[in-house]
Amino acid sequence: MKKTILYALFMLLAAISAQAQNITVHGTVLSKTDDEPLIGASVMSEVLKTGASTDIDGQFTLKVPEGSKITISYVGYTRGRA
């Protein structure tokens, strides 16, 4: 019985540590010309192929693997990297 509980605890800790490799990125996308927030800009993870859109204040939150690159794009603007 103790071995079963110990094994279950070990598996739980292994699952938690595997998820700990992702980080949460918060940011604000602003226009370079007038520092106004860009509403609806796309923020994409190149590794996970997932993304988020900026809100009315130009802010976004995205979970990505540590060290990965994100791409920000917006209609009418050139592509940038963060």
Side-chain angles (χ1 to χ4, degrees):
M1 181 68 174
K2 287 184 181 180
K3 284 186 179 181
T4 304
I5 293 172
L6 185 59
Y7 180 73
L9 181 60
F10 174 75
M11 293 304 289
L12 178 65
L13 291 175
I16 291 172
S17 67
Q19 289 182 346
Q21 295 173 358
N22 284 344
I23 59 171
T24 302
V25 178
H26 305 274
T28 304
V29 180
L30 302 173
S31 169
K32 188 175 182 178
T33 57
D34 58 6
D35 278 340
E36 290 294 318
L38 295 179
I39 303 166
S42 297
V43 183
M44 300 291 295
S45 165
E46 292 183 351
V47 175
L48 296 179
K49 304 297 183 202
T50 60
S53 294
T54 56
D55 63 12
I56 195 165
D57 297 319
Q59 298 178 352
F60 68 92
T61 302
L62 185 62
K63 285 192 175 201
V64 295
E66 189 171 355
S68 65
K69 294 180 182 179
I70 60 172
T71 302
I72 302 166
S73 60
Y74 191 75
V75 175
Y77 284 77
T78 58
R79 188 171 156 170
R81 292 181 186 260

